[in-house]
Coordinates of all heavy atoms in Angstrom, one line a residue:
M1 N 231.3 213.4 -30.2 CA 231.3 214.0 -31.5 C 232.2 215.2 -31.5 O 231.9 216.2 -30.7 CB 230.0 214.3 -32.0 CG 229.8 215.1 -33.3 SD 228.3 215.6 -33.9 CE 227.2 214.4 -33.5
P2 N 233.2 215.4 -32.4 CA 234.0 216.6 -32.4 C 233.1 217.7 -32.9 O 232.3 217.6 -33.7 CB 235.1 216.3 -33.3 CG 235.1 214.8 -33.7 CD 233.7 214.4 -33.3
M3 N 233.3 218.8 -32.2 CA 232.7 220.1 -32.8 C 233.2 220.6 -34.1 O 232.3 221.0 -35.0 CB 232.9 221.4 -31.9 CG 232.1 221.4 -30.6 SD 232.3 222.8 -29.5 CE 233.2 224.0 -30.3
I4 N 234.4 220.4 -34.3 CA 235.0 220.9 -35.5 C 235.6 219.7 -36.3 O 236.6 219.0 -35.8 CB 236.1 221.9 -35.4 CG1 235.4 223.2 -34.5 CG2 236.8 222.3 -36.6 CD1 236.5 224.2 -34.1
D5 N 235.0 219.4 -37.5 CA 235.7 218.2 -38.3 C 235.3 218.6 -39.7 O 235.0 219.7 -40.0 CB 235.0 216.9 -37.8 CG 233.4 216.9 -38.0 OD1 232.8 217.7 -38.7 OD2 232.8 216.0 -37.4
E6 N 235.6 217.6 -40.6 CA 235.5 217.9 -41.9 C 234.0 218.3 -42.4 O 233.8 218.8 -43.5 CB 236.0 216.7 -42.9 CG 235.2 215.4 -42.7 CD 235.6 214.5 -41.4 OE1 236.7 215.0 -40.8 OE2 234.9 213.5 -41.1
N7 N 233.1 217.9 -41.6 CA 231.6 218.3 -41.9 C 231.2 219.5 -41.3 O 230.1 219.9 -41.6 CB 230.7 217.1 -41.3 CG 231.1 215.8 -42.1 OD1 231.2 215.7 -43.3 ND2 231.0 214.8 -41.4
T8 N 232.1 220.2 -40.6 CA 231.7 221.5 -40.0 C 232.1 222.6 -41.0 O 233.2 222.8 -41.1 CB 232.5 221.7 -38.6 OG1 232.2 220.6 -37.9 CG2 232.0 222.8 -37.9
K9 N 231.1 223.2 -41.5 CA 231.3 224.2 -42.6 C 231.0 225.6 -42.1 O 231.7 226.5 -42.6 CB 230.4 224.0 -43.7 CG 230.6 222.6 -44.4 CD 231.9 222.3 -45.0 CE 231.9 221.0 -45.7 NZ 233.2 220.3 -45.7
T10 N 230.1 225.8 -41.1 CA 229.7 227.2 -40.8 C 229.9 227.2 -39.3 O 230.0 226.3 -38.6 CB 228.3 227.5 -41.1 OG1 227.4 226.6 -40.4 CG2 228.1 227.4 -42.8
F11 N 229.8 228.5 -38.8 CA 229.9 228.8 -37.4 C 228.7 228.2 -36.7 O 228.8 227.6 -35.6 CB 229.8 230.2 -37.2 CG 229.8 230.8 -35.9 CD1 231.0 230.7 -35.0 CD2 228.8 231.5 -35.2 CE1 231.1 231.1 -33.8 CE2 228.8 231.9 -34.0 CZ 230.1 231.7 -33.2
N12 N 227.5 228.2 -37.4 CA 226.2 227.6 -36.7 C 226.5 226.1 -36.8 O 226.0 225.3 -35.7 CB 225.0 228.0 -37.4 CG 224.6 229.3 -37.2 OD1 225.1 230.0 -36.2 ND2 223.6 229.8 -37.9
D13 N 227.0 225.4 -37.7 CA 227.3 224.0 -37.6 C 228.2 223.6 -36.4 O 227.9 222.7 -35.7 CB 228.2 223.5 -38.9 CG 227.4 223.5 -40.1 OD1 226.2 223.7 -40.1 OD2 228.0 223.4 -41.2
M14 N 229.2 224.5 -36.1 CA 230.0 224.2 -34.9 C 229.1 224.4 -33.6 O 229.2 223.6 -32.7 CB 231.1 225.3 -34.9 CG 232.1 225.1 -33.7 SD 233.2 226.4 -33.4 CE 232.2 227.6 -32.7
L15 N 228.4 225.4 -33.5 CA 227.7 225.6 -32.5 C 226.4 224.5 -32.2 O 226.1 224.1 -31.0 CB 226.9 226.9 -32.3 CG 227.9 228.0 -32.2 CD1 227.2 229.5 -32.3 CD2 228.7 228.0 -31.0
H16 N 226.0 224.0 -33.3 CA 225.1 222.9 -33.3 C 225.6 221.7 -32.6 O 224.9 220.8 -32.1 CB 224.6 222.6 -34.7 CG 223.4 221.5 -34.7 ND1 222.2 221.8 -34.2 CD2 223.4 220.3 -35.2 CE1 221.4 220.7 -34.4 NE2 222.2 219.8 -35.0
K17 N 226.9 221.5 -32.7 CA 227.7 220.3 -32.1 C 228.4 220.7 -30.8 O 229.2 220.1 -30.3 CB 228.6 219.6 -33.1 CG 227.9 219.3 -34.4 CD 228.9 218.4 -35.2 CE 229.7 219.3 -36.1 NZ 230.6 218.7 -37.1
F18 N 228.1 221.8 -30.3 CA 228.7 222.4 -29.1 C 228.9 221.6 -27.9 O 227.9 220.9 -27.5 CB 228.0 223.7 -28.5 CG 228.6 224.4 -27.5 CD1 229.7 225.3 -27.9 CD2 228.4 224.1 -26.2 CE1 230.4 226.0 -26.9 CE2 229.1 224.9 -25.2 CZ 230.0 225.7 -25.5
E19 N 230.2 221.5 -27.4 CA 230.5 220.8 -26.2 C 231.6 221.6 -25.5 O 232.6 221.9 -26.2 CB 231.0 219.4 -26.4 CG 229.9 218.4 -27.0 CD 230.2 217.0 -27.0 OE1 231.3 216.5 -26.4 OE2 229.7 216.3 -27.8
I20 N 231.5 221.7 -24.3 CA 232.5 222.6 -23.5 C 233.9 222.0 -23.6 O 234.9 222.6 -24.0 CB 232.1 222.8 -22.1 CG1 230.8 223.7 -22.0 CG2 233.3 223.2 -21.2 CD1 230.2 223.8 -20.5
D21 N 234.1 220.6 -23.4 CA 235.3 220.1 -23.5 C 236.0 220.2 -24.9 O 237.2 220.5 -25.0 CB 235.3 218.6 -23.2 CG 234.8 218.2 -21.8 OD1 235.0 219.2 -21.0 OD2 234.5 217.1 -21.6
E22 N 235.2 220.1 -26.0 CA 235.7 220.3 -27.3 C 236.1 221.7 -27.6 O 237.0 221.9 -28.3 CB 234.5 219.8 -28.3 CG 234.4 218.3 -28.4 CD 235.6 217.7 -29.1 OE1 236.2 218.2 -30.0 OE2 236.0 216.5 -28.7
L23 N 235.3 222.7 -27.0 CA 235.7 224.1 -27.3 C 237.0 224.4 -26.6 O 237.8 224.9 -27.2 CB 234.6 224.9 -26.5 CG 234.9 226.4 -26.5 CD1 234.8 227.0 -28.0 CD2 233.8 227.2 -25.6
I24 N 237.3 223.9 -25.4 CA 238.5 224.1 -24.8 C 239.7 223.5 -25.5 O 240.7 223.9 -25.8 CB 238.6 223.6 -23.2 CG1 237.5 224.4 -22.4 CG2 240.0 223.6 -22.7 CD1 237.8 225.8 -22.3
Y25 N 239.4 222.2 -25.9 CA 240.5 221.5 -26.7 C 240.7 222.1 -28.0 O 241.9 222.3 -28.3 CB 239.9 220.0 -26.9 CG 240.8 219.1 -27.8 CD1 242.0 218.6 -27.3 CD2 240.6 219.0 -29.1 CE1 242.8 217.8 -28.1 CE2 241.4 218.3 -30.0 CZ 242.5 217.7 -29.4 OH 243.4 217.0 -30.3
S26 N 239.7 222.4 -28.7 CA 239.9 223.1 -30.0 C 240.7 224.5 -29.8 O 241.4 224.9 -30.7 CB 238.6 223.4 -30.9 OG 237.8 224.2 -30.2
Y27 N 240.3 225.2 -28.8 CA 241.2 226.4 -28.4 C 242.7 226.1 -28.1 O 243.5 226.7 -28.7 CB 240.5 227.2 -27.2 CG 241.5 228.2 -26.7 CD1 241.6 229.4 -27.3 CD2 242.1 228.0 -25.5 CE1 242.6 230.2 -26.8 CE2 243.0 228.8 -25.0 CZ 243.2 230.1 -25.5 OH 244.1 230.9 -25.1
C28 N 242.8 225.1 -27.4 CA 244.3 224.7 -27.0 C 245.1 224.3 -28.1 O 246.4 224.5 -28.2 CB 244.3 223.8 -25.8 SG 243.7 224.3 -24.3
T29 N 244.4 223.6 -29.1 CA 245.2 223.1 -30.2 C 245.3 224.1 -31.4 O 246.0 223.9 -32.3 CB 244.5 221.8 -30.8 OG1 243.2 222.2 -31.3 CG2 244.4 220.6 -29.7
G30 N 244.6 225.2 -31.2 CA 244.7 226.2 -32.3 C 243.6 226.1 -33.3 O 243.4 226.8 -34.3
E31 N 242.8 224.9 -33.3 CA 242.0 224.5 -34.3 C 240.7 225.5 -34.3 O 240.1 225.8 -35.3 CB 241.3 223.2 -34.0 CG 240.5 222.6 -35.1 CD 240.2 221.0 -34.7 OE1 240.4 220.6 -33.6 OE2 239.7 220.4 -35.6
L32 N 240.3 226.1 -33.2 CA 239.2 227.0 -33.0 C 239.6 228.3 -33.8 O 238.8 228.7 -34.8 CB 238.9 227.4 -31.6 CG 237.8 228.4 -31.4 CD1 236.4 227.8 -31.9 CD2 237.7 228.7 -29.9
E33 N 240.7 228.8 -33.6 CA 241.1 230.1 -34.4 C 241.1 229.8 -35.8 O 240.6 230.6 -36.7 CB 242.5 230.5 -34.0 CG 243.0 231.7 -34.7 CD 244.4 232.1 -34.4 OE1 245.1 231.4 -33.5 OE2 244.9 232.9 -35.1
I34 N 241.8 228.5 -36.3 CA 241.7 228.3 -37.7 C 240.3 228.1 -38.3 O 240.1 228.8 -39.4 CB 242.6 227.1 -38.0 CG1 244.1 227.3 -37.6 CG2 242.5 226.5 -39.4 CD1 244.8 226.0 -37.5
F35 N 239.6 227.6 -37.6 CA 238.2 227.2 -38.1 C 237.4 228.7 -38.2 O 236.6 228.9 -39.2 CB 237.3 226.3 -37.2 CG 236.0 226.3 -37.5 CD1 235.5 225.6 -38.7 CD2 234.9 227.1 -36.9 CE1 234.2 225.6 -39.1 CE2 233.6 227.1 -37.3 CZ 233.2 226.3 -38.4
L36 N 237.5 229.5 -37.2 CA 236.9 230.7 -37.3 C 237.3 231.5 -38.4 O 236.6 232.3 -39.1 CB 237.2 231.6 -35.9 CG 236.4 231.0 -34.7 CD1 236.9 231.7 -33.4 CD2 234.9 231.1 -34.8
R37 N 238.6 231.6 -38.8 CA 239.1 232.3 -39.9 C 238.5 231.7 -41.2 O 238.0 232.4 -42.1 CB 240.5 232.3 -40.0 CG 241.2 233.1 -38.9 CD 242.7 233.3 -39.2 NE 243.4 233.8 -37.9 CZ 243.3 235.0 -37.5 NH1 242.6 236.0 -38.2 NH2 243.9 235.5 -36.4
R38 N 238.4 230.4 -41.3 CA 237.9 229.8 -42.5 C 236.3 230.0 -42.6 O 235.9 230.2 -43.7 CB 238.1 228.2 -42.2 CG 238.3 227.5 -43.7 CD 238.6 226.0 -43.4 NE 237.7 225.4 -42.7 CZ 238.0 224.6 -41.7 NH1 239.3 224.4 -41.3 NH2 237.2 224.0 -40.9
A39 N 235.6 230.2 -41.5 CA 234.2 230.5 -41.5 C 234.0 231.9 -41.7 O 232.8 232.4 -41.7 CB 233.7 229.9 -40.3
G40 N 235.1 232.9 -41.9 CA 234.8 234.3 -42.1 C 234.6 235.0 -40.8 O 234.2 236.2 -40.9
K41 N 235.0 234.5 -39.7 CA 234.7 235.2 -38.5 C 236.2 235.7 -38.0 O 236.7 235.4 -36.9 CB 234.3 234.1 -37.4 CG 232.9 233.6 -37.6 CD 231.8 234.7 -37.4 CE 230.4 234.0 -37.5 NZ 229.4 235.1 -37.0
R42 N 236.7 236.6 -38.7 CA 238.0 237.1 -38.5 C 238.1 237.8 -37.2 O 239.2 237.7 -36.5 CB 238.6 238.1 -39.6 CG 238.7 237.3 -40.8 CD 239.4 238.1 -41.8 NE 239.6 237.5 -43.2 CZ 240.6 236.5 -43.4 NH1 241.4 236.1 -42.3 NH2 240.7 236.0 -44.6
G43 N 237.1 238.7 -36.8 CA 237.3 239.4 -35.5 C 237.3 238.4 -34.3 O 238.2 238.6 -33.3
E44 N 236.5 237.3 -34.4 CA 236.5 236.3 -33.4 C 237.8 235.4 -33.3 O 238.3 235.3 -32.3 CB 235.2 235.4 -33.5 CG 234.0 236.0 -33.2 CD 233.3 236.8 -34.5 OE1 234.1 237.0 -35.4 OE2 232.1 237.0 -34.4
A45 N 238.3 235.2 -34.4 CA 239.5 234.4 -34.6 C 240.7 235.3 -34.0 O 241.6 234.8 -33.3 CB 240.0 234.1 -36.1
D46 N 240.7 236.7 -34.2 CA 241.7 237.5 -33.8 C 241.6 237.6 -32.2 O 242.7 237.5 -31.5 CB 241.7 238.9 -34.3 CG 242.0 238.9 -35.8 OD1 242.8 238.0 -36.2 OD2 241.7 239.9 -36.4
A47 N 240.5 237.6 -31.7 CA 240.2 237.7 -30.2 C 240.7 236.4 -29.5 O 241.2 236.4 -28.4 CB 238.7 237.9 -29.9
V48 N 240.3 235.2 -30.3 CA 240.8 233.9 -29.7 C 242.2 233.9 -29.7 O 242.9 233.4 -28.7 CB 240.2 232.8 -30.5 CG1 240.8 231.4 -30.2 CG2 238.7 232.7 -30.4
A49 N 242.9 234.4 -30.7 CA 244.4 234.4 -30.9 C 245.1 235.1 -29.7 O 246.2 234.8 -29.3 CB 244.9 234.7 -32.2
A50 N 244.4 236.2 -29.3 CA 244.9 237.2 -28.4 C 244.7 236.8 -27.0 O 245.4 237.2 -26.0 CB 244.3 238.6 -28.4
L51 N 244.0 235.6 -26.7 CA 243.7 235.2 -25.3 C 245.0 234.5 -24.8 O 245.8 233.9 -25.4 CB 242.5 234.1 -25.3 CG 241.1 234.5 -25.5 CD1 240.2 233.4 -25.6 CD2 240.8 235.5 -24.2
S52 N 245.2 234.8 -23.4 CA 246.3 234.1 -22.7 C 245.9 232.7 -22.4 O 244.8 232.5 -21.9 CB 246.7 234.9 -21.5 OG 247.5 234.2 -20.6
T53 N 246.8 231.7 -22.6 CA 246.4 230.3 -22.3 C 246.4 230.2 -20.7 O 246.0 229.1 -20.2 CB 247.4 229.3 -22.8 OG1 248.7 229.7 -22.5 CG2 247.3 229.4 -24.4
H54 N 247.0 231.2 -20.0 CA 247.1 231.2 -18.5 C 246.0 231.9 -17.9 O 246.0 232.4 -16.7 CB 248.5 231.5 -18.1 CG 249.6 230.9 -18.6 ND1 249.8 229.4 -18.3 CD2 250.5 231.2 -19.5 CE1 250.8 229.0 -19.0 NE2 251.3 230.0 -19.7
N55 N 244.8 232.1 -18.6 CA 243.7 232.8 -18.1 C 242.7 231.9 -17.4 O 242.3 231.0 -18.0 CB 243.0 233.4 -19.2 CG 241.9 234.4 -18.8 OD1 241.3 234.2 -17.7 ND2 241.4 235.2 -19.8
A56 N 242.5 232.0 -16.1 CA 241.6 231.3 -15.2 C 240.2 231.3 -15.8 O 239.3 230.5 -15.5 CB 241.7 231.6 -13.8
F57 N 239.9 232.3 -16.5 CA 238.4 232.6 -16.9 C 238.4 232.4 -18.5 O 237.5 233.0 -19.3 CB 238.0 234.0 -16.6 CG 237.9 234.2 -15.2 CD1 238.9 234.9 -14.5 CD2 236.9 233.7 -14.5 CE1 238.9 235.1 -13.3 CE2 236.8 234.0 -13.1 CZ 237.8 234.7 -12.4
I58 N 239.2 231.4 -19.0 CA 239.2 231.2 -20.5 C 237.8 230.7 -21.1 O 237.5 231.1 -22.1 CB 240.3 230.2 -20.9 CG1 240.6 230.1 -22.3 CG2 239.9 228.8 -20.4 CD1 241.3 231.4 -22.8
L59 N 237.2 230.0 -20.3 CA 235.8 229.5 -20.8 C 234.8 230.7 -20.9 O 234.1 230.9 -21.9 CB 235.2 228.4 -19.9 CG 233.9 227.8 -20.3 CD1 234.0 227.2 -21.7 CD2 233.4 226.8 -19.4
V60 N 234.8 231.6 -19.9 CA 234.0 232.7 -19.9 C 234.5 233.7 -21.1 O 233.7 234.3 -21.9 CB 234.1 233.5 -18.6 CG1 233.3 234.7 -18.7 CG2 233.5 232.7 -17.4
E61 N 235.8 233.8 -21.3 CA 236.1 234.7 -22.3 C 235.8 234.0 -23.8 O 235.4 234.8 -24.6 CB 237.7 234.8 -22.3 CG 238.2 235.6 -21.2 CD 237.7 237.0 -21.1 OE1 237.7 237.7 -22.2 OE2 237.4 237.6 -20.1
L62 N 235.9 232.8 -23.9 CA 235.5 232.1 -25.1 C 234.1 232.3 -25.5 O 233.5 232.5 -26.5 CB 236.0 230.7 -25.2 CG 237.4 230.4 -25.3 CD1 237.7 228.8 -25.1 CD2 238.0 230.7 -26.6
Y63 N 233.3 232.2 -24.4 CA 231.8 232.4 -24.5 C 231.5 233.8 -25.0 O 230.7 234.0 -26.0 CB 231.0 232.0 -23.2 CG 230.5 230.8 -23.1 CD1 231.4 229.7 -23.1 CD2 229.3 230.5 -22.8 CE1 230.9 228.3 -22.8 CE2 228.8 229.3 -22.5 CZ 229.6 228.1 -22.5 OH 229.1 227.0 -22.2
K64 N 232.3 234.7 -24.4 CA 232.0 236.2 -24.8 C 232.3 236.3 -26.2 O 231.7 236.9 -27.0 CB 232.9 237.1 -23.9 CG 232.6 238.5 -23.9 CD 233.4 239.4 -23.0 CE 233.6 238.8 -21.6 NZ 234.5 239.6 -20.8
I65 N 233.6 235.9 -26.7 CA 234.0 236.0 -28.1 C 233.0 235.4 -29.0 O 232.8 236.0 -30.1 CB 235.4 235.4 -28.2 CG1 236.4 236.2 -27.5 CG2 235.7 235.3 -29.7 CD1 237.8 235.4 -27.4
L66 N 232.5 234.2 -28.7 CA 231.5 233.6 -29.6 C 230.1 234.1 -29.3 O 229.2 233.5 -30.2 CB 231.6 232.0 -29.4 CG 232.9 231.4 -29.5 CD1 232.8 230.0 -29.2 CD2 233.4 231.5 -31.0
G67 N 229.9 235.0 -28.6 CA 228.5 235.7 -28.4 C 227.5 234.7 -27.7 O 226.4 234.6 -28.1
L68 N 228.1 234.0 -26.9 CA 227.2 233.0 -26.2 C 227.0 233.3 -24.8 O 227.7 234.0 -24.1 CB 227.9 231.5 -26.1 CG 228.2 230.8 -27.4 CD1 229.1 229.7 -27.2 CD2 227.0 230.6 -28.2
D69 N 225.7 233.0 -24.2 CA 225.3 233.3 -22.8 C 226.0 232.2 -22.0 O 225.8 231.1 -22.1 CB 223.9 233.2 -22.7 CG 223.3 233.6 -21.4 OD1 224.1 233.6 -20.4 OD2 222.1 233.7 -21.2
P70 N 226.9 232.9 -21.0 CA 227.5 231.8 -20.1 C 226.6 231.0 -19.3 O 226.9 230.1 -18.6 CB 228.4 232.6 -19.3 CG 228.1 234.1 -19.5 CD 227.3 234.1 -20.8
N71 N 225.4 231.4 -19.2 CA 224.4 230.7 -18.4 C 223.7 229.6 -19.1 O 222.9 228.9 -18.4 CB 223.4 231.8 -17.7 CG 224.0 232.7 -16.8 OD1 224.7 232.4 -16.0 ND2 223.6 234.0 -17.0
M72 N 223.8 229.5 -20.3 CA 223.3 228.4 -21.1 C 224.0 227.1 -21.0 O 225.3 227.2 -20.9 CB 223.2 228.9 -22.6 CG 222.3 230.0 -22.9 SD 222.3 230.5 -24.7 CE 221.3 229.2 -25.4
T73 N 223.3 226.1 -20.9 CA 223.9 224.7 -20.9 C 224.4 224.3 -22.4 O 223.9 225.0 -23.3 CB 222.9 223.7 -20.4 OG1 221.8 223.5 -21.3 CG2 222.3 224.0 -19.0
E74 N 225.1 223.2 -22.5 CA 225.6 222.8 -23.8 C 224.3 222.4 -24.5 O 224.2 222.7 -25.7 CB 226.3 221.6 -23.6 CG 227.7 221.8 -23.1 CD 228.6 220.4 -22.8 OE1 227.9 219.4 -22.7 OE2 229.7 220.5 -22.7
D75 N 223.3 221.7 -24.0 CA 222.0 221.3 -24.7 C 221.2 222.5 -25.1 O 220.8 222.7 -26.4 CB 221.1 220.5 -23.9 CG 221.7 219.1 -23.7 OD1 222.4 218.7 -24.5 OD2 221.2 218.5 -22.6
E76 N 221.2 223.7 -24.4 CA 220.6 224.9 -24.8 C 221.3 225.5 -26.0 O 220.7 226.0 -26.9 CB 220.5 225.8 -23.7 CG 219.5 225.5 -22.6 CD 219.5 226.2 -21.3 OE1 220.7 226.9 -21.0 OE2 218.6 226.3 -20.6
I77 N 222.6 225.5 -25.9 CA 223.3 226.1 -27.1 C 223.1 225.4 -28.3 O 222.9 225.8 -29.4 CB 224.8 226.1 -26.7 CG1 225.1 227.3 -25.6 CG2 225.6 226.6 -27.9 CD1 226.5 227.2 -24.9
R78 N 223.2 224.0 -28.2 CA 223.1 223.1 -29.4 C 221.7 223.3 -30.0 O 221.6 223.3 -31.2 CB 223.4 221.7 -29.2 CG 224.7 221.3 -28.9 CD 225.0 219.9 -28.8 NE 224.4 219.2 -27.7 CZ 225.2 218.9 -26.6 NH1 226.4 219.3 -26.4 NH2 224.5 218.5 -25.5
S79 N 220.6 223.4 -29.2 CA 219.3 223.5 -29.7 C 219.0 224.9 -30.3 O 218.1 224.9 -31.2 CB 218.4 223.2 -28.8 OG 218.3 224.0 -27.6
A80 N 219.8 225.9 -29.8 CA 219.5 227.2 -30.3 C 220.0 227.3 -31.7 O 219.7 228.3 -32.4 CB 220.2 228.3 -29.4
F81 N 221.0 226.6 -32.2 CA 221.5 226.6 -33.4 C 221.2 225.5 -34.3 O 221.5 225.1 -35.2 CB 223.0 226.9 -33.4 CG 223.4 228.3 -32.7 CD1 223.6 228.2 -31.2 CD2 223.3 229.4 -33.3 CE1 223.8 229.4 -30.6 CE2 223.7 230.6 -32.6 CZ 223.9 230.6 -31.3

């Protein structure tokens, strides 16, 4: 199930469908930045836009930007939201 689709209206909706593969994919396609702007998360969107695609720690950086604990599993993140 895609994290970001036509039914994803809020930031919490996105996190409720959280998947690491989808997070990376939506970052690489630019969809994450666009969604965050649409959801009113401009600071987070700007931070995502400023990330280097050649960063070995991209997942850790995305977790930090989204305010997620990197020690949480996908299931823990989904159930928290």
Side-chain angles (χ1 to χ4, degrees):
M1 167 190 323
M3 270 182 21
I4 301 171
D5 59 19
E6 63 275 353
N7 297 317
T8 310
K9 305 292 186 215
T10 67
F11 184 69
N12 282 352
D13 289 345
M14 181 191 76
L15 294 178
H16 185 68
K17 299 187 276 183
F18 183 83
E19 290 186 22
I20 292 171
D21 293 345
E22 286 289 324
L23 178 65
I24 299 296
Y25 176 79
S26 65
Y27 163 72
C28 290
T29 62
E31 191 175 11
L32 179 61
E33 179 189 351
I34 293 167
F35 172 78
L36 289 170
R37 290 191 192 288
R38 210 175 52 231
K41 299 280 190 179
R42 291 195 182 280
E44 289 86 344
D46 291 343
V48 166
L51 287 176
S52 168
T53 57
H54 300 294
N55 183 343
F57 297 100
I58 194 72
L59 183 58
V60 173
E61 293 296 323
L62 288 171
Y63 268 58
K64 193 182 310 180
I65 291 168
L66 298 176
L68 300 173
D69 179 351
N71 296 315
M72 292 177 77
T73 66
E74 291 178 337
D75 289 334
E76 289 172 332
I77 291 170
R78 283 191 295 265
S79 66
F81 298 93

